[in-house]
C-alpha cells in the first residue's frame, strides 16, 4: 500500500478556501483510507467542520481508486452539473490521486491534503508502516517499517484527521429510542445514528458509503405516528421521533428474512460475520423454508475476482459500489421478482467485462459472494513429473 | 499503485541452490500483476521455468495484497519451502521477510516508482519515481505485461 500522512492543518486548509467557494470533498477509498485520513466517515467529519465555519460544501465524492485516472474522469462525467458548479475540490488522496484529480479538473482549485512517503505494509501490530521510502525522505528502506507516528514527528506532519485539530460540533436534536432519549445529528439517517450510538440493528443492503435502497428489510423499526414498519436506512431523523428498534413483530420479521436468505443460498453464506451474529442472536439453528438452493455457475474467469452467485443475497451493494465508487457499472441486476439475479456485463464472464479491478465490490459484498482470487497450492514431488500436470492444474485452481 | 520490475531470470537463479532450496513462489495480485510482474501468469511462467531447470518448487501462492498482513493471515500459508521468491514490490517482500523469519526470502524485483493507471486504455504512467529511476518519470507502460510504450497517451497537467 501507499503510505501518506496529512500535510495540512485545518487552518491552512481554510486559508486556501473562500467563503464563496462551492466545495466538493473528494476521497479515495483505498490506501489513504487505511492511513486514517480519507473515506466516507472522514469526508463527513470535514464537511461538518467546514459547514460550521460557514463554508458551502456541495458534494462528497467517494472513489474506489483515485490513481485510476479513467475512473476519476467517469466521476466527473457522472456528476457533470455538480462539478461545473464547483469552484474548489479538496482531495483526500495520496499525491498520485491528487495528480489525477488535478489533471481531470485543470481549471478548478484542487487542494491536496496529504504527503506521500513511499510504499509500505498494513501490519497487524502497528497498522500502516512505511517500508520503502522515497529518497527525498532521507530514510533507509526498513522491513520493520516506520509507523505513521514516526513520520508525523520527523516530518512535522499532522497526526490523525482534521477533526483532531478542531472537533466538529454539529447541530443536534433529541429523539426517543426504545423509551430512552437520544441526542442525534440533525438531518442524518436514522440507521447511522442508531449504529453510532451502539444500538445494533441488522442491515445487509446499507452502507453509509453507498447509500440506501431499502432492499433487504432487515433494518425495519417502528416509528410512532408512521404506518407499519419502516426501513431505518431510508429514514431521516426528526425532532421528537419515537423509535422502537426491537419487539416481537420486528424480531419475527427479521427472523423470516434471515431464514429466507439461508434457505435459498449456499450453506457457507453463514461465513458472513454479520449473518452469523444475527442467526445466533435470533437463535436460528435450521432452515425453516424448503426452497430450492441456488445452483448457479461460479465465475472464476477473472484473474483477480471470483463471483459465486449462490452466495448472493441480492442486496445490490456491489452494484452501487461499482457504479458509484468506481464508475464502471460492470455489475447489475437482471430479471424481476423471484427470478432476479446479479450479472456482470451483458451477462458475460467477469473476464470479458471492463472491470477495473478496483475491488470496491469485494470490499462491500456482505456475504463474500465476490472474493479476491487467491491460490495456495503445494507442488508435490520432483521437477520432471510435476512438469507434466503443472500448467493444467494451475489454470483450474482457484 | 507501485511499479516494480523483475530482475532477469539469470539473476534469480544465482540466488538459488538447486540441492538445498525448497522454493515457494508467492505472487502479488494487485500492483505487481498490473505492472506485469506478478499475478497468476508471472507465477506460472517463473514456476514452470524453474521446474524445467531442475529447481525444487514446493509451494505456489497468489495473494491479493502481499503487503497486507491481514491478507497474509487469511491465506493461511503453510509452506514446505525454506526459500521464498516474492513477485511483488519491495513492500511485499518486506512483509514476507517479517512474517517468515526462518526462511530465506528473496527479493527479485526493483521498485521503479508510483504510477497512475488508465485501465480503459490499459496503460500505466510513472509519476513519482524511486531513487536511480528518475529518468522513468512520465514513461508509460502496458498494463499486465509491463511492455514499454512510445508516445504519451495520458496527459498529466501538474507533474
Ligand atoms: S466489478 Fe468490482 S472490481 Fe470491477 S470495476 Fe466494478 S467494483 Fe471495481
Ligand atoms: S454479490 Fe454480494 S454485494 Fe452483490 S448483490 Fe450479491 S450479496 Fe450483495
Ligand atoms: S439495510 Fe435497510 S433495508 Fe437493507
Amino acid at each position: 500500500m501507499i503510505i501518506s500522512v496529512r500535510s495540512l492543518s485545518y487552518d491552512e486548509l481554510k486559508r486556501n478556501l473562500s467563503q464563496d467557494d462551492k466545495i466538493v470533498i473528494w476521497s479515495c477509498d483505498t490506501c489513504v483510507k487505511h492511513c486514517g485520513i480519507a473515506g466516507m466517515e472522514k469526508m463527513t467529519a470535514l464537511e461538518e467542520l467546514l459547514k460550521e465555519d460557514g463554508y458551502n460544501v456541495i458534494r462528497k465524492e467517494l472513489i474506489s481508486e483515485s490513481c485510476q485516472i479513467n475512473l476519476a474522469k467517469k466521476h466527473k462525467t457522472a456528476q457533470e452539473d455538480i462539478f461545473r458548479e464547483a469552484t474548489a475540490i479538496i482531495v483526500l488522496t495520496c499525491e498520485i490521486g491528487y495528480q489525477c484529480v488535478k489533471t481531470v479538473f485543470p481549471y478548478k482549485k484542487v487542494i491536496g491534503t496529504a504527503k506521500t512517503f513511499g510504499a509500505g505494509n498494513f501490519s497487524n501490530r502497528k497498522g500502516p508502516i512505511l517500508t520503502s521510502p522515497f529518497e527525498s525522505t532521507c530514510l533507509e528502506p526498513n522491513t520493520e517499517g516506520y509507523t505513521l507516528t514516526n513520520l508525523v514527528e520527523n516530518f512535522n506532519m499532522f497526526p490523525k484527521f482534521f477533526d483532531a485539530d478542531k472537533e466538529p460540533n454539529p447541530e443536534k436534536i433529541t429523539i426517543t429510542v426504545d423509551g430512552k432519549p437520544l441526542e442525534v445529528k440533525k438531518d442524518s439517517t436514522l440507521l447511522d445514528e442508531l449504529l453510532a450510538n451502539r444500538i445494533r440493528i441488522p442491515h445487509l443492503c446499507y452502507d453509509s458509503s453507498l447509500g440506501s435502497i431499502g432492499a433487504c428489510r432487515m433494518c425495519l423499526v417502528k416509528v410512532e405516528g408512521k404506518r407499519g414498519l419502516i426501513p431505518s436506512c431510508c429514514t431521516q431523523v426528526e425532532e421528537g421521533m419515537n423509535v422502537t428498534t426491537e419487539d416481537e413483530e420486528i424480531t419475527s420479521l427479521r427472523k423470516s428474512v434471515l431464514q429466507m436468505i439461508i434457505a435459498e443460498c449456499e450453506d457457507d453464506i453463514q461465513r458472513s460475520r454479520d449473518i452469523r451474529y444475527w442467526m445466533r442472536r435470533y437463535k436460528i439453528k435450521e432452515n425453516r423454508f424448503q426452497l430450492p438452493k441456488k445452483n448457479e455457475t461460479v465465475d472464476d474467469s477473472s484473474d483477480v475476482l471470483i463471483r459465486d452467485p449462490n452466495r448472493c443475497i441480492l442486496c445490490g451493494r456491489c452494484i452501487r459500489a461499482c457504479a458509484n465508487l468506481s464508475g464502471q457499472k460492470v455489475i447489475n441486476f437482471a430479471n424481476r421478482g423471484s427470478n432476479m439475479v446479479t450479472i456482470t456485463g451483458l451477462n458475460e464472464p467477469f473476464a470479458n467485462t471492463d472491470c477495473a479491478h478496483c475491488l470496491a465490490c469485494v470490499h462491500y459484498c456482505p456475504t463474500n459472494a465476490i472474493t479476491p482470487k487467491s491460490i495456495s497450492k503445494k507442488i508435490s514431488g520432483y521437477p520432471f513429473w510435476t512438469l507434466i500436470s503443472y500448467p493444467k492444474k494451475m489454470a483450474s485452481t482457484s | 499503485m507501485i511499479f516494480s520490475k523483475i530482475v532477469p531470470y539469470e539473476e534469480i537463479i544465482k540466488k538459488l541452490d538447486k540441492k538445498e532450496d525448497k522454493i515457494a513462489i508467492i505472487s502479488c495480485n494487485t500492483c505487481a500483476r498490473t505492472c506485469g510482474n506478478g499475478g497468476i501468469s508471472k507465477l506460472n511462467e517463473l514456476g514452470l521455468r524453474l521446474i524445467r531447470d531442475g529447481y525444487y518448487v514446493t509451494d505456489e501462492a497468489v495473494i491479493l495484497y502481499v503487503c497486507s498482513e491481514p491478507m497474509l493471515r487469511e491465506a493461511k500459508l503453510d509452506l514446505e519451502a525454506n526459500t521464498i521468491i516474492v513477485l511483488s514490490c519491495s513492500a511485499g517482500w518486506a512483509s514476507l521477510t517479517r512474517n517468515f523469519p526462518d526462511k530465506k526470502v528473496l527479493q527479485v524485483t526493483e521498485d521503479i516508482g508510483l504510477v497512475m493507471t488508465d485501465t480503459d486504455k490499459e496503460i500505466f504512467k510513472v509519476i513519482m519515481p524511486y531513487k536511480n529511476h528518475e529518468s522513468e518519470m512520465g514513461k508509460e507502460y502496458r498494463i499486465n505485461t509491463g511492455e514499454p510504450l512510445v508516445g504519451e497517451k495520458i496527459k498529466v497537467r501538474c507533474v
Side-chain angles (χ1 to χ4, degrees), chain A residues 64 68 71 304-305 318-319 321-323 325-331 344 350 353-362 370:
Chain A
S64 46
Q68 290 207 32
L71 302 191
V304 182
L305 305 168
C318 56
I319 296 170
C322 191
L325 269 51
S326 94
Q328 290 292 83
K329 303 193 179 117
V330 169
I331 315 175
T344 46
F350 233 138
T353 68
D354 59 354
C355 169
H357 300 146
C358 71
L359 303 169
C361 52
V362 172
I370 309 178

Side-chain angles (χ1 to χ4, degrees), chain B residues 11-27:
Chain B
E11 297 290 316
I12 301 176
I13 52 175
K14 266 190 214 156
K15 298 180 182 182
L16 295 172
D17 183 326
K18 251 186 208 171
K19 275 203 202 116
E20 300 296 324
D21 286 347
K22 289 192 204 166
I23 303 163
I25 309 173
I26 299 182
S27 181

Side-chain angles (χ1 to χ4, degrees), chain A residues 70 132 143 375 378-379 390, chain B residues 58-60 78 90 98 130:
Chain A
N70 51 323
S132 314
T143 51
I375 296 171
K378 295 252 170 261
I379 304 198
Y390 177 77
Chain B
T58 57
D59 312 77
E60 290 180 338
D78 172 24
S90 65
R98 269 197 327 278
Y130 270 101

Side-chain angles (χ1 to χ4, degrees), chain A residues 231-283:
Chain A
S232 56
C233 66
C234 304
T235 308
Q236 274 214 334
V237 289
E238 284 167 28
E239 179 70 57
M241 199 177 216
N242 188 357
V243 185
T244 305
T245 65
E246 194 90 65
D247 67 8
E248 219 174 286
E249 191 185 356
I250 297 173
T251 306
S252 140
L253 207 127
R254 287 183 187 158
K255 278 169 91 168
S256 301
V257 174
L258 263 179
Q259 273 167 327
M260 292 281 277
I261 290 174
I262 299 159
E264 258 194 340
C265 292
E266 285 254 320
D267 294 336
D268 63 0
I269 196 173
Q270 290 165 24
R271 281 201 327 204
S272 153
R273 219 176 39 187
D274 257 6
I275 292 181
R276 247 185 0 240
Y277 171 84
W278 289 106
M279 283 178 66
R280 260 200 325 270
R281 165 113 172 230
Y282 291 137
K283 300 193 175 59

Side-chain angles (χ1 to χ4, degrees), chain A residues 191 202-206 213-219 231-234:
Chain A
L191 179 59
H203 55 286
L204 294 174
C205 69
Y206 179 75
I213 53 166
C216 74
R217 315 313 277 175
M218 283 294 281
C219 70
S232 56
C233 66
C234 304

Side-chain angles (χ1 to χ4, degrees), chain A residues 1 67-70 74 99 102-103 119 121-122 124 132 143 303 374-375 377-379 381 383 390 394, chain B residues 29 33 44 48 51 56 58-62 65 67 69 73 78 90-91 98 117 119-120 130 155 158:
Chain A
M1 69 184 276
C67 57
Q68 290 207 32
I69 194 164
N70 51 323
K74 282 177 190 169
Q99 303 259 9
K102 186 73 196 153
T103 301
N121 299 168
F122 194 92
N124 285 329
S132 314
T143 51
D303 274 352
S374 64
I375 296 171
K377 66 184 286 248
K378 295 252 170 261
I379 304 198
Y390 177 77
M394 273 310 303
Chain B
N29 212 13
R33 175 194 49 80
N44 276 343
L48 198 51
I51 290 168
Y56 187 19
T58 57
D59 312 77
E60 290 180 338
V62 175
Y65 301 107
C67 61
E69 283 186 0
R73 185 175 285 182
D78 172 24
S90 65
R98 269 197 327 278
T117 57
T119 45
D120 291 336
Y130 270 101
K155 297 258 184 280
C158 57

